[in-house]
Amino acid sequence: MTAVDASPRLVSQLVRFVLIGGFCALVDFGVYQALLALDLWVHLAKALSFVAGTTTAFFLNRRFTFAAGRGGAGQVGGFALLYTVTFFVNVGINALMLHLLPSSFGWRITLAWVVAQGTATVINFVMLRTVVFRTRHTP
């Protein structure tokens, strides 16, 4: 595969990743809002919603974005490790943003969620493409 061949594939993967990510973000945000409506502690609600969105992301990205099929324990382990790291990045950034934004700001929770989600999304795409679901070439 040449660099010219890789470009359309990268764009195609990125488009699918964004579309699937948008859906998974809706799952995450919907669970987050539902748990907040139940008066669950904001940080626990964020943690649980992240897990819901992440589980959805694994199955959809494996199948539709990276067409990786069943990769076995290594693939699942790599995904779990990546999402463990981005879990802490996501929840940590969300907490930091909630701390930094004034409580009187009407969009405080939404903005904190968007910043945390955006950061985690960039990390996830790069690592999923280059490590977890990378195409292995046989000689």
Side-chain angles (χ1 to χ4, degrees):
M1 179 180 300
T2 67
V4 175
D5 295 334
S7 182
R9 183 169 180 246
L10 173 63
V11 171
S12 176
Q13 284 179 334
L14 188 56
V15 167
R16 286 187 303 248
F17 185 79
V18 167
L19 292 173
I20 288 170
F23 175 74
C24 295
L26 290 174
V27 169
D28 183 331
F29 193 66
V31 170
Y32 186 48
Q33 291 298 313
L35 294 173
L36 290 175
L38 295 172
D39 289 328
L40 195 65
W41 181 49
V42 67
H43 303 304
L44 180 58
K46 181 63 187 119
L48 294 174
S49 72
F50 180 84
V51 170
T54 297
T55 302
T56 306
F58 173 75
F59 292 107
L60 294 178
N61 279 312
R62 180 177 72 179
R63 172 73 174 99
F64 297 109
T65 302
F66 301 104
R70 296 185 186 270
Q75 192 180 78
V76 173
F79 186 90
L81 178 61
L82 170 61
Y83 274 77
T84 297
V85 170
T86 55
F87 167 82
F88 287 107
V89 168
N90 191 311
V91 174
I93 289 174
N94 191 72
L96 177 64
M97 292 300 297
L98 289 174
H99 175 74
L100 294 175
L101 292 168
S103 58
S104 61
F105 179 59
W107 290 86
R108 179 174 169 254
I109 287 177
T110 302
L111 180 59
W113 182 87
V114 167
V115 171
Q117 192 68 26
T119 303
T121 297
V122 170
I123 294 167
N124 286 337
F125 179 75
V126 170
M127 296 305 292
L128 287 173
R129 186 173 199 281
T130 60
V131 178
V132 177
F133 296 129
R134 74 179 176 273
T135 303
R136 291 176 179 37
H137 299 290
T138 54

